Amino acid sequence: MSVGSIPRHAYRPYSTPALVAWIAMAGLVTYAAGPVLRHMEFAVIPWPLHGLAVAILFSSRERDRPWTAIALSVAIILGAGGHSGDWMRSITGTAQLMAQTIAVVLFHQWLSGGRHPLRGALSYAWLGVVVLLGSLPTTLLATLIVEIVGPQIAPGYTTGEWWVSAVSSMYAIAPILLAQSAPARIEVRASTTWRWELPLLAAVYAIALVWAFFEPAWPRLQLPAAVATVPFLVWAGLRFGVRGYAVFAAMFVVAVIASTVLDVGPFGQFGDDPIVRGRRAWIYVASLAGPTMIFPLTLVERAIAEARARGAFAQLAAIIESSGDPIAAIDHDLVIIAVNPAWVRGFHRISGVTVRPGMRMDDVLESLPMDRDESVAHWRRALQGHRFTAIREVGDPALARDEFEITYSPVRDEQGDIVGASQVVRNVTDRRKHESAEAETRRLEALGRLAGGVAHDFNNLMTAVVGYAGILAQSLPAHDPRQADLAEIERAATRAGELTQQLLAFARRRVVAPKVVDVGDLVGGFMRLLDPLLGSTVRLNVRIGTDLPDVRIDPAQFEQVLMNLAVNARDAMPNGGELGVDVVRTRYRDGVGVRVSVRDTGTGMEPEVVARIWEPFFTTKPQGKGTGLGLATVHGIVHQAGGEIGVESTLGVGTTFNVLLPGVDPDDSAVAG
């Protein structure tokens, strides 16, 4: 369970022995209180039974409710018949009571999805609505039955009186008993001394109840004294939560019922008629015991909200503490209110100062005089409500001065008012160094391709110069003085040829020296060297097939082909992706060959671009990022080796280059070896 979450279905149903005890209690209450607490003369069911029956069914497991309802019905029938001797009315009255109770329970379960009625103050209010609406149809039906069969068979009463008594009993009595089976979350106490404070206050409350309801003296003062006990209920709810309140409310109800049955206490002044006294007691309990439960429920909901807020704050604090990025926050006065360990370590490394909450940010930045003014200005800008990112160098040059990417944000309260500012810092020094190194590598690659192309063409020109100089030397007599000039021309051309070889060595484009090679071995070896150059965001996937024929190609030139294609694929995936290289045996022309496929998951190319990619000096890269000689060189190398190269590209999907090289006849391979 995540921090701050609370289960919504955490029922605590009664065990079977507890249910049996409560059912027996219902029978005893019916028997003992029936003569006094009934609705009218012909009634046999006392009014507390409505709330007691609802609480018992709510507190039982759903699978146990059928037998619970049957057992409860039997207990009430026995209690009602025992005190009245009228078994017919006892049976029909119990049937009416249970029909009403079951309807309320089912209606509430349907509306709430099986949740407990005491999840909170709102759910408690909904219980009242369900009781009002759920008991009405069965009350009307019972009234109709009484009109048909007569009061000799079913208890006689008015519709309104039965309905009001049922509703008030369910709403006042049921919550007191339901508190013991309520979700675990409502057991929130405001005191850590409840283990001794609760029994002590309960003892004092018991004395007050005895004095208020059972003391025979001062009969005219007993009702005000009974009212004076109500603050105990409120205090118990605020001090001990819902379950503590339920204990005191149960003591209160027992005192009211017992004093009424025994004809002592404040309700005796309402006359000798027990039904009149019972009604007064019923109104008293209904108006006080149930509604005052709103106090502990409201308190509990507030405590739960605070606990959730504390849990969320603790979780957020743990995330910030464990973050590898330095994070700091200040208030309106530039006082540091929070810093995580990464920020403390990082600032100490570049300034030598150890920062703690409570210090002023402008004072802390005094240790970095080169950066103080700009940093304070950035903080004040964030306090004005701006969110922005600054990339700058910060630090004492004598210790460490790094480049940081700093994101400033205003901090707002629940009303949206700015109460402070925060910053999240990221050291980008290493990233910048990597980007610079990568740019240098690409520059050298472009320079190499350019140098290779120029050197190749220049070498061809020097070859022609040497050739024609030799022809001219042969046409002249041996002692002709111009022979010395021709010899100087040949020496200069030879030195130029040596220079071009150096340029070709730099560009890995020496004069072709084809060999019979295993392409699989070349690809496997070269890709191991190429992998680190691709960067951490590019995944390299190399698959080399079996039974590959040998091919005849210059190994250095073939590696140049792989290099150019791989670099282009990497550049086509600025956000990373997969570079795949497949080497398989294939049919080629009239024999066998090798297909080398280089594919990427990059941006792809439009058809107009694909049509021109082999042209020298054509490039789609920004100025200074490419020469346009790479693919032209690849195309020339492949065709020089007797192969073919093709391209397949889909915009937004990626590009695949397929290099086809003819296989070497095994006999030729053996001769070459």
Side-chain angles (χ1 to χ4, degrees), residues 271-407:
D272 297 330
D273 189 346
I275 296 178
V276 174
R277 296 199 306 273
R279 286 177 178 174
R280 298 299 186 273
W282 154 42
I283 294 172
Y284 186 63
V285 170
S287 61
L288 293 177
T292 50
M293 183 169 278
I294 199 71
F295 291 103
L297 285 174
T298 303
L299 175 70
V300 164
E301 288 188 330
R302 177 182 296 180
I304 291 171
E306 292 175 352
R308 283 177 172 169
R310 287 193 300 271
F313 181 81
Q315 189 177 37
L316 179 61
I319 293 173
I320 294 175
E321 285 287 309
S322 60
S323 173
D325 290 336
I327 301 174
I330 63 170
D331 63 10
H332 266 299
D333 298 323
L334 296 180
V335 175
I336 299 173
I337 58 176
V339 284
N340 69 344
W343 200 96
V344 174
R345 291 192 302 268
F347 193 82
H348 183 271
R349 187 179 64 85
I350 64 174
S351 69
V353 175
T354 300
V355 179
R356 297 183 303 275
M359 302 172 68
R360 288 182 58 88
M361 183 61 74
D362 48 356
D363 293 338
V364 167
L365 290 171
E366 291 289 350
S367 59
L368 300 174
M370 296 175 58
D371 310 304
R372 179 188 182 280
D373 293 342
E374 187 175 1
S375 296
V376 171
H378 285 165
W379 278 112
R380 295 194 183 280
R381 182 183 173 191
L383 289 172
Q384 294 172 359
H386 300 284
R387 187 182 189 278
F388 60 95
T389 299
I391 300 177
R392 50 193 289 257
E393 289 187 348
V394 180
D396 185 348
L399 297 174
R401 187 168 181 84
D402 291 343
E403 189 172 11
F404 296 95
E405 181 183 84
I406 310 173
T407 300

Side-chain angles (χ1 to χ4, degrees), residues 491-507:
R491 282 194 297 271
T494 301
R495 287 196 300 269
E498 292 174 353
L499 178 61
T500 59
Q501 290 300 316
Q502 293 176 358
L503 290 174
L504 288 171
F506 170 74

